[in-house]
Amino acid sequence: MSVVRADAGTLPDLFARAARVTPGGVHSPVRAFRSVGAAPLAIVEARGARLRDSGGREYVDWIGAWGPALLGHAHPTVIDAVERAAHRGLLFGLVSPDEARLAERVTARVPCCDMVRFVATGTEAAISAVRLARAATARPGILKFDGCYHGHGDAFLIRAGSGAATMGVPDSPGVTEGAARDTWIARYNDLEDVDRVFVAAAGAIACVIVEPVAGNMGCVPPEPGFLYGLRERCDRHGALLVLDEVITGFRLGPGGAAQRFGIRPDLVTMGKALGGGMPLAAYGGRVDLMRKIAPEGPVYQAGTYAAHPVSIAAALAVLDVLDGDPGIWGRLEAAGERLEAGLTRAAVAAGVPARVQRVGSMWTFFFTSAPVRSWDDAGAVDRARYAAFFRAMLERGVLLPPSPFESAFLSIAHGDAEISITLDAAHASLAEVAR
Ligand SMILES: *Cc1c(COP(=O)(O)O)cnc(C)c1O
């Protein structure tokens, strides 16, 4: 795999120094760009749908900070709210009025979310929701799907060992077999596999946790009936349904995927788009469940940075922008359609087997002709060709996710110009990687 020429924007010296004092030179593994054989970019400024690196090169950004940048980068309303909040003091460690206002607005728009608790990261939201589900059902097991990501909590770093295995084995050293034992894996979009796990687990499943639209194996939509089938099976087996809406919440519509697909989960996790770039996440759900959280109930969860005032201010601004312009959803859809159609045409023109999978503003360009419905299908994707495509696009000033298995994100700041640049670059890049 060839490596993109390290230009000034990748700061080779600084990156080499960083790698001596930080594992891999990065603070989150995907930022290293390893799976696409490129040097990491050092970004100095982000505005709208564009990024600028330390060498002064500009890129059309499709990473979108991995989901938070629904409004684009540095949206003036959000920046203004953040500045004003910062001037009032960064952190009180006490109650503040705005957090109650935000809780009211979140519970008003997200189905099933009677009460909400704000935390700092999606990982925290997911581990807290699972703890609550276990406490409420007095059961140890969780059912998750192969290829779904719910943060780096031990219980989530597990996947099926083989097709036949029902019991999870740890994905990372340091996750104990004890933790792995309580995580059961099923194939996404496969209700028969879910039934198999429920039978094998024999009443041990506290909750099913699922990304309603998977974004962490590339964009994989739920098949018709899949989410409803999970709801029905949870009811039948006395398990809770946890929708992990850390990506989809506030992105796929005002009430997230739950509203878009008409599903009532018992618990829901949110994050990313809600904070508009500030660290904010949340979990919420049925009032009888949420009342079990301390101090109302015995299930413990706390945080120094929980409901950080600056993040709360940013989230209120995000909701102001979304609610102030109901046309946003239609425009996102139209932009997504234009992008999808253009990329599909470019692949056909180049004679490259590829497909775009998209739900609203989440999309992935998969190098395979067959639909990707699960992590097993994702195995058919031509990773080397994606890596070459990524590098060819980068050369042309378009930054895609640095992995064939990460969703790309459209924002309201991606206008006709950004889409045209992307489609022109795709035509040229696909012709190049077709050879
Ligand atoms: C990103 C993500 C998380 C984890 O959120 P962090 O803020 O990175 O801890 C959890 N669930 C899903 C679906 C995610 O995409």
Side-chain angles (χ1 to χ4, degrees):
M1 197 180 278
S2 77
V3 172
V4 160
R5 179 178 43 83
D7 64 13
T10 62
L11 281 185
D13 290 349
L14 190 62
F15 186 64
R17 277 163 53 198
R20 282 196 283 277
V21 286
T22 294
V26 293
H27 295 275
S28 196
V30 288
R31 297 178 195 169
F33 286 23
R34 284 195 181 174
S35 71
V36 288
L41 293 181
I43 301 301
V44 294
E45 196 175 341
R47 210 162 279 280
R50 312 276 181 125
L51 300 175
R52 193 159 52 80
D53 73 16
S54 54
R57 275 198 77 185
E58 205 180 76
Y59 305 88
V60 173
D61 174 34
W62 291 105
I63 297 177
W66 306 89
L70 175 62
L71 307 186
H73 299 285
H75 191 286
T77 306
V78 178
I79 297 296
D80 185 50
V82 163
E83 278 178 0
R84 280 186 287 121
H87 280 288
R88 292 192 297 267
L90 293 178
L91 185 63
F92 318 128
L94 296 166
V95 169
S96 70
D98 278 351
E99 65 197 30
R101 295 190 183 106
L102 183 64
E104 281 176 352
R105 289 177 72 174
V106 167
T107 53
R109 61 203 289 148
V110 179
C112 103
C113 191
D114 304 326
M115 296 181 102
V116 66
R117 178 56 78 74
F118 294 118
V119 291
T121 69
T123 296
E124 272 184 275
I127 61 176
S128 305
V130 163
R131 181 182 304 134
L132 175 56
R134 285 171 161 159
T137 57
R139 296 175 178 183
I142 71 170
L143 192 166
K144 78 172 276 290
F145 293 91
D146 205 2
C148 281
Y149 179 69
H150 306 292
H152 64 89
D154 281 1
F156 306 126
L157 295 181
I158 319 280
R159 50 196 288 195
S162 75
T166 50
M167 208 67 99
V169 291
D171 228 8
S172 165
V175 175
T176 64
E177 280 175 28
R181 195 164 46 234
D182 291 327
T183 299
W184 301 73
I185 307 293
R187 191 178 304 116
Y188 197 76
N189 275 326
D190 186 341
L191 289 170
E192 276 180 30
D193 207 37
V194 171
D195 287 334
R196 174 190 62 85
V197 170
F198 267 115
V199 168
I205 302 291
C207 68
V208 172
I209 183 166
V210 64
E211 290 181 70
V213 174
N216 287 288
M217 49 179 147
C219 178
V220 177
E223 305 259 284
F226 176 60
L227 297 174
Y228 181 78
L230 294 180
R231 174 71 277 172
E232 187 262 326
R233 278 153 181 85
C234 284
D235 291 342
R236 192 176 342 138
H237 295 282
L240 302 179
L241 180 61
V242 183
L243 280 194
D244 183 349
E245 296 227 41
V246 170
I247 287 179
T248 54
F250 310 95
R251 173 173 284 281
L252 293 188
Q259 187 183 55
R260 186 174 180 125
F261 296 105
I263 291 297
R264 282 193 78 81
D266 301 292
L267 294 170
V268 59
T269 57
M270 297 156 273
K272 294 188 173 143
L274 175 61
M278 291 298 292
L280 183 69
Y283 66 101
R286 272 168 38 197
V287 63
D288 60 305
L289 297 172
M290 292 302 290
R291 286 201 193 283
K292 296 183 192 298
I293 298 290
E296 251 194 274
V299 180
Y300 195 71
Q301 178 269 312
T304 301
Y305 299 110
H308 194 291
V310 183
S311 300
I312 295 284
L316 284 169
V318 168
L319 295 187
D320 283 346
V321 172
L322 294 179
D323 291 345
D325 182 2
I328 277 178
W329 305 107
R331 289 204 302 280
L332 273 175
E333 189 60 40
E337 276 168 17
R338 182 178 168 220
L339 183 73
E340 178 179 347
L343 288 172
T344 306
R345 267 198 304 275
V348 170
V352 174
R355 54 185 288 112
V356 179
Q357 293 191 183
R358 180 182 69 85
V359 178
S361 57
M362 300 170 63
W363 62 275
T364 298
F365 191 80
F366 283 116
F367 282 97
T368 172
S369 47
V372 177
R373 299 194 191 92
S374 70
W375 184 241
D376 290 344
D377 298 338
V381 167
D382 187 338
R383 298 166 192 228
R385 189 168 264 177
Y386 183 86
F389 181 58
F390 171 92
R391 298 191 301 265
M393 293 291 277
L394 192 66
E395 292 269 334
R396 292 171 175 83
V398 178
L399 179 63
L400 295 174
S403 155
F405 306 118
E406 294 283 357
S407 180
F409 294 107
L410 183 68
S411 76
I412 64 169
H414 286 87
D416 285 341
E418 283 79 13
I419 292 178
S420 294
I421 290 170
T422 301
L423 294 179
D424 289 348
H427 271 280
S429 300
L430 284 166
E432 203 174 298
V433 304
R435 291 201 284 269

